[in-house]
Structures are given as structure tokens and as C-alpha cells.
Amino acid sequence: MRASSRLLSLAIAAPPLAIVVWLFFLPFLSSAHLSFLRDGAWSLGNYALVWRLYRFDVLYTLWISVVSLVLVLGIAIFLCGYLRIVGHRAVEFLFKVPLFVPFVVVGHGMRVLLAPRGTLNSALAQVGLVDLGDPPSIAFTWLGIVVSLVWKNLALAVLLVLGAYRAVDEAYLEAARNFGASVYRQIKDILLPMAAPSLVVASAFMFTSMLASFSIPLMIGGGEQPQMLMVDVYYRINYQNDLGTANALGMVSYLLAMGVAGYYLRTITVKEF
């Protein structure tokens, strides 16, 4: 590569590299440093407190994220397969609408829909399926958080999975149809295996996003233990002014996300080389 090309490549790479260093690596190092300080001295006390008070919140966060991811992928794999093979522009647009809805608005909308006397129960009460004197509640439970995260992230899943499916050569699908393969078999035996690497990358993006969810768990969660980790960080900083424990919780979140990020980097490295 000539020197001018190298300089041009360096000039192009410098701004995004500076942003990554400024917005991620420096805050990461600062968070790691503060997580080992307690009362001005080096200590593992913050991590001991995290283990004592928040270990079930870590498991709860993983549970919510994994269940939501499995549901999102399960729906997206077959929905996008149908959209790829049969095609339906209006349905595709409707499933992409949540991309343009902020997380806070999703949280508020789900509270209105899923609350004990919310829109859903009121509609079901009209046909006698729910007693509003003692209504069931999906909001303020783990199920409400899962439903909200699935609806919000399904749009991103449709965008990524459908893009991967559309990259599959139409000749494979045409050959399968000539042998009498149904839509289900075309999805299971052709689209899904050929788009698997892209699905893994999409899963990494969505899992990391769910892991760091804040506004939806805060608005839809029950307000009692267990909570998702970002809600714990919020309360630790704003109500207890405990930056050390908050940063220790942040480091735990970093470690959980880094496992997924490492797999993502390994995947794209294998694809490039």
C-alpha cells in the first residue's frame, strides 16, 4: 500500500477511533478504577456488596435478556422467512414501526396497555374474559418487561434478519419449490442455515441492547427486587450516592456484554479472513 493510501486510511479511521476511545475506553477505565475504591482506599468491598445484594439481579437480568432474545429470534426467523418468500410490504412496514418509537414511549405505552385496569384488560372485560374487580396484571412483572423488550427489539430483528434472508440467492428457493418444498421447509432448510452467521451477529446486537435496558424495566418492572442491573445502577447513584457500588455493577454489566462482543468480533474476523 502506498504512503498516500495509508495516510488516507489513517485519516478516515482516526475520527471513529477517537470517538470509541473517548466514549467507551476512557469511561470504562474510569469505571473500573472507581469500582475498586471504597472510602478513598483500594478495596473489593464494592464487589462484595454487589455479590451480597445484587447477585440475584444479575441472574434476573440474564433471564430477562435470554428469554426476550429467544422469543424475538423465534418470531423473526419465521416472520422474515414468510416476508422473504411470500412478501407483504404493509406487514413488513408495521413490524418496523417500533424502530422509530423511543424506549420511554414504549414503556409508557405498555403500562397503559398491560396495567391491571389497562386497555387490554378493559377490552377483555367487555367480553367477560377478565374481572376488573380482581384483574390480572402483566405490567409490573417480569413478563411485562419481556413483552415490551420483544416488541421493541422485533423491529431491529426484522431489519437484520430480513436483510440476511434477502442476500440468499433466489435460485436456491426456486429449486426447492420445484421439488415441492413448503414455505416452512424453505425457511428451515435453506434460509436459516445460509443466514446463520448474520443471525448470530444480530443476536449479539440485540442481547447487548436488552442487557443494558433501563427505561422499560424502570417503567414496567414491579419496583421491588429483583431488578435489572441498569435500574440498580440508577438507584445506587441517585438515591444512595454510592458511586463505588454503581461502578462495580457497571463492571459486571461490561463483563456480561464483553462475552457477547468477543463472540461478535470473532465471527466478523473469521468472515473477513
Side-chain angles (χ1 to χ4, degrees):
M1 182 181 292
R2 294 184 302 178
S4 59
S5 299
R6 290 179 179 175
L7 288 174
L8 178 61
S9 300
L10 182 61
I12 293 174
L17 180 62
I19 291 173
V20 169
V21 170
W22 187 30
L23 295 182
F24 178 73
F25 281 106
L26 293 181
F28 175 79
L29 293 176
S30 174
S31 181
H33 173 245
L34 290 174
S35 71
F36 288 104
L37 290 180
R38 190 157 188 87
D39 298 326
W42 290 94
S43 168
L44 291 175
N46 295 323
Y47 288 95
L49 195 61
V50 167
W51 171 256
R52 185 162 59 86
L53 297 181
Y54 298 111
R55 62 183 184 275
F56 292 113
D57 288 14
V58 174
L59 296 176
Y60 181 73
T61 303
L62 284 173
W63 161 255
I64 293 286
S65 302
V66 170
V67 170
S68 301
L69 180 63
V70 169
L71 289 174
V72 167
L73 286 179
I75 296 171
I77 284 170
F78 291 101
L79 171 67
C80 295
Y82 174 82
L83 294 174
R84 168 67 175 85
I85 296 169
V86 180
H88 200 301
R89 292 290 182 186
V91 173
E92 181 181 337
F93 171 76
L94 289 174
F95 275 99
K96 289 180 179 176
V97 166
L99 277 175
F100 311 102
V101 182
F103 281 90
V104 173
V105 177
V106 173
H108 175 69
M110 287 296 176
R111 281 176 69 100
V112 173
L113 176 67
L114 303 176
R117 289 181 172 76
T119 310
L120 179 61
N121 280 345
S122 297
L124 294 176
Q126 297 299 316
V127 293
L129 294 177
V130 166
D131 177 14
L132 286 181
D134 184 21
S137 176
I138 297 177
F140 317 122
T141 66
W142 70 270
L143 185 58
I145 299 175
V146 168
V147 170
S148 305
L149 289 178
V150 167
W151 188 77
K152 174 61 181 170
N153 285 278
L154 188 56
L156 178 61
V158 168
L159 186 71
L160 297 175
V161 176
L162 190 56
Y165 280 178
R166 283 180 172 152
V168 175
D169 196 324
E170 180 66 24
Y172 294 108
L173 298 174
E174 186 65 34
R177 282 194 287 269
N178 289 338
F179 282 99
S182 64
V183 171
Y184 171 75
R185 290 294 301 272
Q186 292 176 57
I187 296 172
K188 183 176 78 69
D189 295 336
I190 298 177
L191 291 178
L192 186 56
M194 298 189 76
S198 298
L199 288 175
V200 172
V201 174
S203 301
F205 282 133
M206 289 185 287
F207 182 76
T208 306
S209 171
M210 293 172 182
L211 204 63
S213 296
F214 169 69
S215 53
I216 287 178
L218 187 65
M219 299 177 76
I220 296 294
E224 300 176 352
Q225 297 293 336
Q227 296 270 16
M228 290 190 75
L229 283 181
M230 291 302 106
V231 178
D232 290 331
V233 172
Y234 170 77
Y235 282 119
R236 211 71 203 180
I237 293 174
N238 290 282
Y239 290 92
Q240 299 177 351
N241 196 28
D242 185 356
L243 292 179
T245 306
N247 278 285
L249 286 167
M251 289 304 298
V252 172
S253 299
Y254 276 129
L255 292 175
L256 294 176
M258 282 175 65
V260 179
Y263 188 80
Y264 164 72
L265 291 174
R266 179 175 173 272
T267 302
I268 62 172
T269 301
V270 169
K271 287 178 69 174
E272 290 179 358
F273 294 96

